[in-house]
Amino acid sequence: MSALGAALLLFGLFFLLLFASVPISIAIGVSSFVTIVAVLGWSDATFILGQQMTGGVESFPLLAIPLFILAGNIMNSGGIARRLIDLALVIVGRVPGSLAHTNVVANMLFGALSGSAVASAAAIGGTLHRRQDEEGYDPAFSTAVNISSASTGLLIPPTTAAIVYSTIAGGVSVSALFMAGYIPGILMGLVVIAVATVIALRQGLRGGEGVGIRQGLIVLLRAIPSLLLIIIVVGGIVAGVFTATEGAAVAVVYCLVLSLIYRALNREAIARIIRDTVSATGVVMLLVAASSAMSWIMAFSGIPGAITDAMLSVASSGPVVIALMLIVLLAVGAFLDITPAILIFTPIMLPIAESVGMDPVHFGMVLIMAMCIGTMTPPVGSVLFVATGITGVSIERVVPRLLPFFAALIALLILIAYVPALSLWLPGLTGLLE
């Protein structure tokens, strides 16, 4: 079977199953198996599918994913979100629309610690939305701010998205990816704050009363133990003290000790944390296993090379190719969650990016940010559904309020794609680029 025929069968069946509401991991596995059967025959297909799925999850770096998920779940129940919200109020308390800005800053801080956009949207949005309602904020606007800022933690390290990309991209340095995420992640938060400020001024939303220096220092001291997690984990990984997997284990122990000190955990909470971690890990690892089989059949059939040749034949100049990639990635992000999107499209898009001179670390940031935008868009936006579920605001009311944030974030994505220094300056400064 030709590369074109294999691609049509693979992706045609995958999207058909996806639109039939088949779970993504099952859709990936079934479409991969059928394509392997068509290319190699039944007897080889069963052996190869099992081999690739098993080999796909036999990776030491991937062990960091369940550990970071566990750390994030401990944070959700350990009283850390409340302290970060108090710190965010101190930082932006006097700005018009201060509670909206508090939401953004708290999402940036908590997302960086938990590495989960959904957890951030639930923890921060769930804590703030009642207070925002009491102070007269439009619930649709508040929900839109929470949605558009929750995914900043997917860029600001430590983040499991970078670990997944590193594994699939052939061992791109996790340390370099972590450092590369700081500037895009912070810029993403600042862009949301800028849009929220304009809307707040138009709506006449007032700022908070602020706090005195003494109270501000108390809040900062209460938040420092939580913030130290970033310094310990990311600093240790970048400095080479431990690997990303070992850093994830350190994060679990640190969060557990901190939560015990705060007396925020009991037997029921620990049981729930373990149950949620096992459930989330099972979903992610099944995706990784199924996507490993899909990646193998794509490589065996020559699909990535055929797609690269086709795209370069349409547009040979680098800027045009990058523009086409951005369009494809934004479209993909609207239909796939971030983990399966990275698993499926990294083998396809990375060769194209490298063919026009993009560094793999730079492309990783572009890919992850495009998927971050996808988490806030229907029909499959996970953060969109979680945030609207928390506030009880319908998606129909929220989407129009999301459009200004969506447009601003797309503009930032374009800037990051065409200005490599925004992603590569920090890794280069710390000597992490090859």
Side-chain angles (χ1 to χ4, degrees), residues 120-434:
S120 186
I124 305 303
T127 304
L128 278 176
H129 86 273
R130 290 185 183 85
R131 183 169 176 179
Q132 290 171 326
D133 291 345
E134 291 171 358
E135 296 199 13
Y137 282 67
D138 177 8
F141 167 65
S142 301
T143 305
V145 171
N146 190 33
I147 292 168
S148 54
S149 61
S151 58
T152 52
L154 298 177
L155 282 167
I156 301 174
T159 166
T160 56
I163 296 171
V164 173
Y165 172 77
S166 170
T167 304
I168 301 302
V172 176
S173 169
V174 174
S175 299
L177 290 167
F178 277 6
M179 292 304 294
Y182 274 112
I183 293 178
I186 292 172
L187 286 176
M188 189 174 176
L190 292 176
V191 163
V192 176
I193 287 175
V195 176
T197 300
V198 172
I199 296 175
L201 290 172
R202 288 180 178 177
Q203 294 183 353
L205 296 175
R206 60 184 177 84
E209 296 179 358
V211 297
I213 295 177
R214 177 183 172 83
Q215 182 61 29
L217 287 175
I218 292 174
V219 170
L220 177 60
L221 288 174
R222 282 167 51 87
I224 281 178
S226 302
L227 298 176
L228 280 176
L229 177 63
I230 300 177
I231 298 174
I232 293 171
V233 174
V234 178
I237 294 172
V238 171
V241 177
F242 39 68
T243 65
T245 304
E246 293 163 345
V250 170
V252 170
V253 174
Y254 187 90
C255 291
L256 183 59
V257 170
L258 203 59
S259 297
L260 292 174
I261 292 173
Y262 292 156
R263 297 182 179 179
L265 294 180
N266 52 39
R267 289 184 179 180
E268 291 76 14
I270 293 173
R272 184 180 65 254
I273 287 168
I274 294 174
R275 183 176 61 251
D276 292 345
T277 300
V278 171
S279 176
T281 300
V283 171
V284 172
M285 289 305 172
L286 182 57
L287 281 169
V288 172
S291 298
S292 298
M294 178 176 276
S295 298
W296 184 88
I297 189 58
M298 284 194 298
F300 184 84
S301 303
I303 293 174
I307 294 175
T308 300
D309 294 340
M311 187 171 287
L312 293 178
S313 68
V314 174
S316 57
S317 66
V320 178
V321 171
I322 293 173
L324 291 175
M325 283 197 302
L326 292 180
I327 293 171
V328 172
L329 292 176
L330 287 171
V332 166
F335 292 95
L336 292 177
D337 204 0
I338 184 166
T339 300
I342 292 174
L343 291 168
I344 294 171
F345 285 90
T346 295
I348 296 174
M349 292 295 182
L350 182 56
I352 299 173
E354 290 180 318
S355 71
V356 294
M358 287 185 75
D359 187 276
V361 173
H362 177 210
F363 173 73
M365 292 301 102
V366 173
L367 172 63
I368 293 172
M369 184 172 178
M371 297 306 107
C372 287
I373 295 174
T375 64
M376 57 183 274
T377 59
V380 190
S382 55
V383 173
L384 173 67
F385 292 117
V386 168
T388 53
I390 288 171
T391 59
V393 182
S394 68
I395 293 176
E396 291 77 11
R397 285 186 59 197
V398 171
V399 169
R401 296 304 184 96
L402 271 174
L403 293 179
F405 298 99
F406 188 62
L409 290 174
I410 289 178
L412 177 62
L413 174 64
I414 294 171
L415 181 66
I416 290 172
Y418 286 101
V419 183
L422 294 175
S423 301
L424 301 180
W425 181 69
L426 276 180
L429 187 67
T430 51
L432 295 172
L433 292 180
E434 298 180 356

Side-chain angles (χ1 to χ4, degrees), residues 111-126:
L113 291 170
S114 68
S116 170
V118 170
S120 186
I124 305 303

